[in-house]
Amino acid sequence: MAVELDPQLMDILACPSDDHAPLRAGTPGDPSADVLTCTSCGRGFPVVDGVPVLLLDEAIMPADPPDSGVVGV
């Protein structure tokens, strides 16, 4: 089941990490997952009974970290 949150709520939700990046519904591999994914750090935040759990301690770390932009390290 895909995350279905009010579009206005999605406009104001942000990752609780220091970068405060916007969130998107689903994951890159499963757009219908009940997860909100940070567009910057890639952490996934579960949505339980329609309520996003935006706690860093509960976040699902990405399998592949986002590209850091550093080449040849």
Side-chain angles (χ1 to χ4, degrees), residues 10-61:
M10 287 299 296
D11 286 343
I12 61 172
L13 287 178
C15 180
S17 69
D18 291 337
D19 59 8
H20 304 293
L23 300 170
R24 69 171 180 268
T27 65
D30 184 4
S32 65
D34 284 337
V35 173
L36 296 178
T37 302
C38 177
T39 57
S40 178
C41 68
R43 287 182 180 98
F45 298 92
V47 177
V48 180
D49 295 328
V51 178
V53 180
L54 299 177
L55 300 171
L56 289 174
D57 291 342
E58 300 291 323
I60 303 161
M61 296 305 290

